[in-house]
């Protein structure tokens, strides 16, 4: 391989992509432009490309053999896109001679060789990376998932005599006498991650990672290493409101240059969201290994099925085009919802007219109280979400529902009630009294389910109740109002993560007359914050047109 960085396989691929010779999405093109630009100007930031280091990992890959399928037993031949990624991550160096990149995020469609792709650098970093006693981990949130890559690495070692001479593969650990290194599986539900000192950590199928807990432990444990490497690889997920979605968003910012982070390498093989899902060029953008490990004919067959059975199209787009599908599977797409992330202070709205709504669930589940405040043509929306503690409450729900409940609680978005593992009605009543004291409360909408005792206690406090049904007739107009205002950027929610979570979980049901409602049974998780918000915004839109009747208004 060439010692001239401009002629190295990494640069050759990058130029082909930039020239349009290779079909690639915008973010891959930006990654290639970044590489070429840094070859010219990286020295100004103390960066340089080490052709010898880049070539070593590429040559090492040829020592590893395929372990499954028709190519089993044959040496692995990296495709140009893999040469670009491997060469970039291992070739770029800082002024002190250590690796530039500490993290690598790769997002490609299913069956593009992700597991094999991850095993190569894991073995290399264990045996030949020049690190003393390197600890290498195959990390996942479950023991079974972590074991998949670990077992594949064991098969790679067994299939290559030169690797078998370097590494000793036991049942639960692979050791290397030459470096003193080890490879083992690491999971959140398995052994403790305390005390680890990783040199290399693979995070396979990051979209399945429910939360950031294990990732943060691993990242913070790498600081003592000279040039650690966090290797993240995944297919697109179903919601950008996830740990993987957060990393993907950050990677895009780095590639677009809005954030300067010389320690992150990113390769995001996404076609444009509006690309023709049946076009071969679209397939190639999401599948850089098309016609290698991904048969073109199989993609054509799967696309034809998705056209005939529309319910299969979201999965085809996500799994085989590498496109995030939150906009197709949830009510409001994340990027549309984020238009309302406008800063404002609740205290600045004291004394203003406001409309509230309460969605009270069972005493052991999430409940929500929303407050809609019209202001200068928009609606300022604040939502409190309540969750009980107890054995089946806060901690158990945080683990089971895979959301950052702990961070939301600490930030004040989630209120945890500690009375015997149940929602405390008294605390909700105190919140309502606070709202009445600080705002000109016009209405408090509520769903009558489970509200018998609360309704009486609220009326005793003189709050203007409005009974709000949950069927198509009651919810269609408010839900459509929310949709319109969100698209226009006129609902200002301050980035409330519990509300975004609820909105992302909503299944939008529609009847033959095109009336709509949120369907709790079909939704992907709790939607109480979203339901309360819909009712509050809907009533704020109706405003003073409601008719008062015996101290209580009824919106059937």
């Amino acid at each position: 391989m060439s010692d001239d960085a401009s002629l190295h396989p990494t640069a050759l691929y990058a130029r082909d992509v930039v020239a349009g010779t290779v079909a690639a999405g915008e973010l891959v093109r930006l990654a290639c432009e970044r590489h070429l630009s840094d070859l010219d100007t990286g020295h100004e930031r103390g960066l340089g490309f080490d052709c010898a280091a880049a070539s070593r990992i590429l040559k090492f890959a040829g020592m590893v053999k395929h372990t499954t399928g028709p190519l089993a037993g044959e040496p692995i031949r990296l495709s140009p896109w893999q040469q670009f990624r491997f060469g970039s991550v291992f070739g770029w160096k800082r002024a002190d001679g250590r690796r530039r990149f500490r993290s690598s995020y790769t997002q490609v469609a299913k069956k593009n060789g992700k597991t094999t792709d991850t095993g190569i650098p894991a073995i290399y970093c264990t045996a030949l990376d020049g690190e003393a006693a390197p600890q290498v981990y195959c990390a996942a949130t479950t023991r079974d998932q972590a074991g998949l890559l670990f077992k594949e690495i064991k098969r790679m070692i067994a299939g290559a005599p030169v690797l078998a001479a370097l590494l000793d593969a036991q049942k639960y650990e692979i050791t290397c006498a030459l470096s003193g290194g080890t490879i083992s599986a690491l999971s959140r539900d398995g052994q403790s991650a305390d005390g680890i000192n990783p040199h290399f950590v693979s995070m396979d199928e990051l979209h399945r990672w429910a939360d950031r807990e294990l990732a943060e432990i691993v990242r913070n444990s790498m600081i003592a290493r000279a040039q650690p490497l966090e290797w993240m690889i995944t297919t697109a997920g179903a919601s950008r409101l996830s740990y993987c979605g957060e990393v993907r968003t950050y990677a895009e910012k780095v590639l677009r240059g809005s954030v300067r982070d010389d320690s992150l390498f990113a390769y995001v093989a996404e076609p444009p969201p509006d690309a023709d899902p049946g076009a071969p060029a679209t397939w190639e953008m999401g599948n850089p290994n098309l016609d290698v490990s991904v048969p073109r004919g199989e993609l054509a067959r799967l696309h034809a099925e998705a056209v005939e059975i529309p319910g299969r199209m979201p999965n085809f787009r996500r799994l085989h085009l590498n496109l995030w599908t939150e906009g197709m599977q949830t009510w409001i797409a994340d990027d549309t919802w984020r238009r309302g992330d406008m800063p404002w202070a609740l205290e600045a709205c004291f004394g203003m007219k406001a409309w509230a709504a309460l969605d009270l669930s069972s005493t052991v589940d999430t409940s929500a109280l929303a407050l809609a405040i019209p202001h200068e043509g928009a609606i300022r929306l604040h939502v409190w979400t309540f969750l009980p503690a107890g054995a089946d409450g806060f901690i158990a729900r945080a683990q089971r529902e895979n959301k950052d409940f702990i961070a939301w609680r600490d930030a004040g978005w989630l209120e945890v009630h500690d009375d015997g593992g149940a929602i405390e009605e008294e605390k909700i009543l105190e919140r309502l009294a606070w709202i009445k004291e600080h705002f000109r409360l016009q209405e408090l909408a509520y769903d009558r389910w489970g509200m018998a005792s609360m309704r009486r206690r609220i009326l005793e406090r003189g709050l203007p109740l409005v009974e709000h049904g949950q069927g198509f007739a009651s919810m269609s107009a408010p839900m459509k109002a929310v949709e319109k205002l969100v698209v226009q950027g006129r609902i200002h929610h301050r980035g409330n993560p519990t509300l975004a979570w609820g909105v992302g979980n909503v299944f939008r049901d529609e009847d033959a007359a095109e009336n709509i409602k949120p369907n709790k049974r079909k939704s992907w998780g709790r939607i109480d914050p979203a339901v309360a918000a819909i009712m509050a915004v809907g009533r704020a839109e109706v405003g003073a047109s409601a008719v008062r009747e015996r101290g209580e208004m009824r919106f059937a």
Side-chain angles (χ1 to χ4, degrees):
M1 296 182 188
S2 176
D3 292 332
D4 183 342
S6 66
L7 298 178
H8 195 270
T10 53
L12 297 179
Y13 174 82
R15 278 199 292 273
D16 283 344
V17 168
V18 172
T21 306
V22 173
E26 182 186 16
L27 296 183
V28 169
R29 178 178 56 78
L30 289 174
C32 291
E33 289 178 351
R34 181 192 190 196
H35 178 80
L36 296 175
S37 174
D38 285 348
L39 288 180
D40 290 334
T41 64
H43 64 277
E44 298 172 2
R45 306 196 308 279
L47 304 175
F49 188 78
D50 184 340
C51 290
S55 297
R56 275 196 296 273
I57 183 71
L58 303 189
K59 292 175 182 177
F60 173 78
M63 299 167 58
V64 185
K65 296 182 179 181
H66 291 281
T67 62
T68 58
L71 294 177
E74 295 292 321
I76 291 175
R77 292 180 175 83
L78 295 179
S79 297
W81 71 281
Q82 294 170 313
Q83 293 179 341
F84 170 72
R85 291 172 42 251
F86 282 34
S88 293
V89 171
F90 285 86
W92 277 105
K93 300 291 182 67
R94 303 181 318 206
D96 61 6
R98 294 173 178 172
R99 267 195 297 270
R100 162 191 183 176
F101 295 118
R102 298 172 67 96
S103 298
S104 172
Y105 175 79
T106 296
Q107 185 188 306
V108 291
K110 190 177 176 67
K111 297 301 179 183
N112 276 265
K114 292 191 297 294
T115 301
T116 301
D117 185 292
T118 303
I120 291 169
I123 297 172
Y124 182 87
C125 286
T126 306
L128 301 172
D129 203 30
E131 181 79 7
Q135 295 180 14
V136 171
Y137 292 99
C138 307
T141 54
T142 67
R143 186 185 293 111
D144 289 344
Q145 182 66 28
L148 291 177
L149 177 58
F150 181 73
K151 292 174 182 176
E152 173 62 16
I153 290 175
K154 289 174 66 175
R155 286 192 291 268
M156 288 179 172
I157 294 169
V162 66
L163 296 182
L166 279 173
L167 299 131
D168 182 20
Q170 302 298 320
K171 185 174 183 179
Y172 296 115
E173 187 177 64
I174 300 167
T175 60
C176 177
L178 178 67
S179 66
T182 60
I183 305 175
S184 54
L186 179 69
S187 63
R188 200 177 103 173
D189 65 353
Q191 74 276 29
S192 171
D194 295 335
I196 64 173
N197 184 20
H199 172 59
F200 176 95
V201 177
S202 69
M203 300 180 181
D204 194 20
E205 295 297 5
L206 195 67
H207 73 276
R208 295 178 182 169
W209 285 53
D211 55 43
R212 72 184 66 252
E213 180 182 356
L214 181 59
E216 293 294 344
I217 291 173
V218 167
R219 184 174 294 110
N220 290 325
S221 299
M222 301 176 95
I223 59 175
R225 291 288 182 177
Q227 50 177 9
L229 184 53
E230 180 185 36
W231 189 272
M232 299 170 282
I233 191 162
T234 188
T235 297
S239 174
R240 293 275 289 275
L241 291 172
S242 61
Y243 177 66
C244 183
E246 179 181 298
V247 176
R248 155 65 180 76
T249 298
Y250 182 73
E252 180 175 357
K253 291 179 179 179
V254 171
L255 291 174
R256 294 193 182 282
S258 59
V259 172
R260 169 63 63 82
D261 185 349
D262 280 328
S263 69
L264 174 69
F265 174 83
Y267 184 96
V268 183
E270 290 179 359
D274 59 351
D276 179 1
T282 304
W283 301 347
E284 189 172 350
M285 290 180 191
N287 296 269
N289 240 27
L290 187 65
D291 295 325
V292 180
S293 62
V294 182
R296 189 179 298 261
E298 184 65 8
L299 281 186
R301 182 186 68 80
L302 291 169
H303 174 259
E305 288 182 354
V307 170
E308 293 298 323
I309 309 172
R312 296 185 181 180
M313 185 58 78
N315 269 347
F316 177 80
R317 289 173 61 88
R318 185 177 73 82
L319 298 176
H320 302 292
L321 299 185
N322 195 36
L323 287 168
W324 292 78
T325 54
E326 68 270 1
M328 300 182 67
Q329 294 183 326
T330 60
W331 173 33
I332 297 172
D334 292 345
D335 57 346
T336 302
W337 180 254
R338 286 194 290 267
R339 295 174 188 171
D341 187 1
M342 305 288 186
W344 58 273
L346 197 60
E347 296 80 6
C349 299
F350 286 175
M352 294 183 183
K353 286 186 177 181
W355 282 258
L358 177 62
D359 187 35
L360 189 66
S361 299
S362 68
T363 57
V364 296
D365 223 323
T366 52
S367 295
L369 172 62
L371 189 67
I373 309 162
H375 178 73
E376 297 181 352
I379 290 181
R380 292 178 168 179
L381 180 63
H382 186 86
V383 176
W384 294 269
T385 303
F386 311 105
L387 185 65
D392 295 323
F394 173 60
I395 297 298
R397 295 288 299 278
Q399 295 173 342
R400 185 171 66 247
E401 298 197 8
N402 304 328
K403 291 296 170 183
D404 290 335
F405 282 0
I406 294 173
W408 297 347
R409 177 202 60 189
D410 295 345
W413 298 111
L414 180 64
E415 187 174 306
V416 179
H417 293 177
D418 298 321
D419 185 17
I423 289 292
E424 298 177 59
E425 292 186 354
E426 192 60 40
K427 288 189 176 180
I428 295 178
L429 290 168
E430 290 174 2
R431 179 67 65 188
L432 289 171
W434 180 88
I435 290 173
K436 182 182 178 183
E437 177 184 353
H438 290 93
F439 299 89
R440 293 157 59 196
L441 182 61
Q442 306 299 298
E443 300 173 5
L444 171 59
Y446 72 99
D447 172 16
R448 63 178 173 269
W449 186 90
M451 277 285 291
S453 65
M454 276 287 281
R455 177 181 175 277
R456 175 182 54 78
R457 299 177 71 184
I458 290 171
L459 284 173
E460 288 174 353
R461 286 161 172 76
L463 294 166
L465 277 175
V466 180
E467 185 179 313
H468 199 302
Q470 302 296 296
F472 286 113
S474 302
M475 293 298 284
S476 186
M479 195 170 181
K480 288 179 178 179
V482 170
E483 291 177 350
K484 178 187 71 175
L485 293 169
V486 167
V487 169
Q488 295 172 345
R490 293 168 54 204
I491 289 183
H492 299 168
H493 49 69
R494 300 192 294 166
N496 182 333
T498 57
L499 177 57
W501 168 65
V503 168
N505 286 335
V506 169
F507 181 92
R508 181 185 188 272
D509 213 353
E510 185 171 334
D511 67 10
E514 298 185 354
N515 294 306
I516 62 174
K517 70 171 184 176
N519 187 317
K520 288 191 175 183
R521 184 176 59 84
K522 294 182 180 180
S523 293
W524 293 273
R526 300 301 307 180
I527 63 173
D528 312 272
V531 170
I534 291 168
M535 291 192 293
V537 171
R539 293 312 299 161
E541 283 285 276
V542 172
S545 63
V547 178
R548 296 187 178 276
E549 180 181 345
R550 294 187 303 276
E552 178 179 351
M553 293 175 287
R554 186 172 298 273
F555 182 58

